[in-house]
Amino acid sequence: MSGAEITTDIPARIDRLPWSNFHLLVVVALGVTWILDGLEVTIVGSIGPILKDKQTLGLTDQDIGSIAASYVGGAVCGALLFGWLTDRFGRRLIFNITLGIYMVGVLLTAFAWNFWSFACFNVITGLGIGGEYAAINSAIDELIPARLRGRIDLIVNGSYWAGAAVGAAGSLLLLSGRLVGIDTGWRLGFGIGAALSAFILLLRRYVPESPRWQITHGHEAEAKRTTDDIEHKVGKDLPPPKNTLKVHPKKVFGFGLIIGAMLGKNRGRSFLALSLMVAQAFLFNAVFFTYGLVLTKFYHIQEARAGVYILPLAAGNFLGPLLLGHLFDSIGRKKMIAGTYGLSGLLLIAVSVLFGMGVLTAWTQTFCWMAIFFIASAAASSAYLTASEIFPLETRAMAIALFYALGTLIGGVTAPFLFGHLIGSGSQWAVAGGYAGAAGLMLAAAVCEIVLGVEAAGRSLEDVAQPLSSSG
């Protein structure tokens, strides 16, 4: 049952805030999720060839693809479960629980003794990361002022590649055999993630609940106190808020209401979010879970040297959202999302042909990926931005979770399995065909953005998607 109608200016108060140390705290404490995910994925990709060694776990190419899929599968389940819980119980509670789950999973992975233990512990790690996505993106969007939301979202989501760079650099040290044995080195790599997550768990004590979530779920007094505290931390003279919003708070918004909103009035937006998610998930999981195998199989790079090539690739991927992010606020969402998806798809077609012809080297292949993913990483980050902006507040976490899960399940789980077999075939043209398929998905997503995209640049979340509670 809805509560009595209330009029609130809390969204407008949050959107008028200048950038401050409080917002920096939010970005660091919450955005580290993407760094952890990049760290995990890159370590697995870098150690893939090492895990085939009889001194370690003695895995096959297919085993490595299955391990990658187990992580992604766990993330899918975690996103769905914790996405629903995030909308029901709040952002703050869930993003602390999910980080704890990740910490346990990655620590257990360091002690894996065979394929099955590694895969099971990777599922636990994935559960935590998947749950983080829904809670984190919801909280960040709801705490960052509207005029900065696009660039901050892209930088936060793009920080995945900072984690990937750390993972690649760490793999060079830990897998070289000079510091520790190779069976100890890969295990220490997972310890980096566990230690970092323990520190961030302490830092998150200072991140508040989203006042937007509080006000729509019947916690009006708490929402006012939280907003007052945020304004106090900003510590500057602030202009009066310009707009108010009328809402009918509810303690719980039923699952049927949430799904109905996504598949009814917002079904066009749902299709858009799904297409963006599937395309980027397929592309990135295809390349980064298996690039170590491509380097060793086709370019005969030493297993422990794979990180040398992944490190500059990861750095280039981080620079894309960092340098292009402000354009999503100034030029606009539709032009930039369609442009980045379309251009990266066209470039990928060209590179797939060159790879199939066998004219690339390990370094020229890496430079080609750097050029493509400088653009594609901004596109991928904008997919998460889109899913978190274009649905009502009460469905935001569930929307992020659902489209992340579907996109990852369709694109992210399929890609490692498919490319594991394509690489195992030994045919460069077979792998090139897989890359061309990924390019087709990116181009299709660009068309969807042109037709169905929503211009959200500089607009309040409540203007982009009216809250369910505001309609009575």
Side-chain angles (χ1 to χ4, degrees), residues 142-453:
E142 292 164 14
L143 291 169
I144 297 298
R147 67 187 181 281
L148 302 173
R149 191 173 60 242
R151 70 194 72 188
I152 296 301
D153 251 37
L154 259 72
I155 291 173
V156 167
N157 292 328
S159 66
Y160 173 100
W161 301 108
V166 172
S171 71
L172 293 175
L173 295 174
L174 298 174
L175 303 181
S176 66
R178 292 192 295 269
L179 298 178
V180 292
I182 58 173
D183 190 47
T184 301
W186 73 263
R187 297 177 189 276
L188 290 177
F190 288 99
I192 297 172
L196 180 59
S197 58
F199 169 72
I200 295 300
L201 198 56
L202 296 175
L203 190 61
R204 285 187 179 178
R205 296 168 54 198
Y206 303 102
V207 178
E209 179 58 87
S210 162
R212 283 177 153 112
W213 180 89
Q214 290 174 323
I215 197 68
T216 57
H217 286 74
H219 306 288
E220 183 181 9
E222 292 92 332
K224 289 180 178 178
R225 284 196 296 270
T226 301
T227 307
D228 289 343
D229 185 55
I230 292 172
E231 291 176 340
H232 177 72
K233 289 176 180 176
V234 171
K236 296 182 179 180
D237 293 331
L238 299 171
K242 295 181 179 180
N243 302 308
T244 59
L245 179 70
K246 293 181 179 181
V247 297
H248 296 259
K250 291 183 179 181
K251 292 290 185 182
V252 176
F253 292 85
F255 192 74
L257 181 65
I258 292 173
I259 296 300
M262 293 165 62
L263 300 182
K265 178 182 178 181
N266 296 301
R267 60 182 176 274
R269 296 184 176 195
S270 296
F271 185 80
L272 170 65
L274 180 61
S275 65
L276 296 178
M277 285 289 191
V278 168
Q280 64 85 25
F282 187 91
L283 173 59
F284 279 82
N285 284 281
V287 173
F288 284 94
F289 270 125
T290 59
Y291 195 42
L293 296 177
V294 169
L295 290 169
T296 56
K297 186 84 170 182
F298 298 111
Y299 298 118
H300 311 293
I301 301 300
Q302 292 182 352
E303 297 169 344
R305 297 279 296 169
V308 172
Y309 300 88
I310 295 177
L311 179 58
L313 184 55
N317 273 267
F318 178 59
L319 290 176
L322 183 65
L323 299 179
L324 300 178
H326 70 98
L327 299 177
F328 286 76
D329 283 324
S330 57
I331 293 177
R333 305 284 198 265
K334 290 190 67 172
K335 291 180 180 179
M336 287 302 300
I337 295 174
T340 51
Y341 268 86
L343 183 56
S344 56
L346 292 174
L347 291 174
L348 183 55
I349 290 174
V351 171
S352 66
V353 172
L354 294 176
F355 178 79
M357 293 173 63
V359 300
L360 299 175
T361 66
W363 276 115
T364 55
Q365 174 80 75
T366 299
F367 291 142
C368 286
W369 285 138
M370 288 177 66
I372 290 172
F373 286 110
F374 177 83
I375 300 167
S377 59
S381 295
S382 71
Y384 291 90
L385 170 64
T386 299
S388 64
E389 282 186 321
I390 63 176
F391 296 100
L393 183 148
E394 299 87 351
T395 73
R396 180 163 295 121
M398 192 64 214
I400 296 168
L402 183 61
F403 294 111
Y404 164 77
L406 289 174
T408 302
L409 193 61
I410 297 169
V413 173
T414 303
F417 273 125
L418 174 62
F419 275 79
H421 288 288
L422 293 177
I423 294 168
S425 73
S427 167
Q428 289 191 216
W429 277 115
V431 177
Y435 291 150
L441 289 174
M442 295 295 285
L443 291 172
V447 173
C448 287
E449 177 64 31
I450 293 171
V451 175
L452 300 172

Side-chain angles (χ1 to χ4, degrees), residues 19-45:
W19 181 258
S20 67
N21 289 335
F22 165 75
H23 297 105
L24 181 61
L25 169 68
V26 170
V27 169
V28 172
L30 301 185
V32 75
T33 292
W34 291 90
I35 296 177
L36 294 174
D37 190 23
L39 179 69
E40 172 80 9
V41 170
T42 307
I43 286 178
V44 172

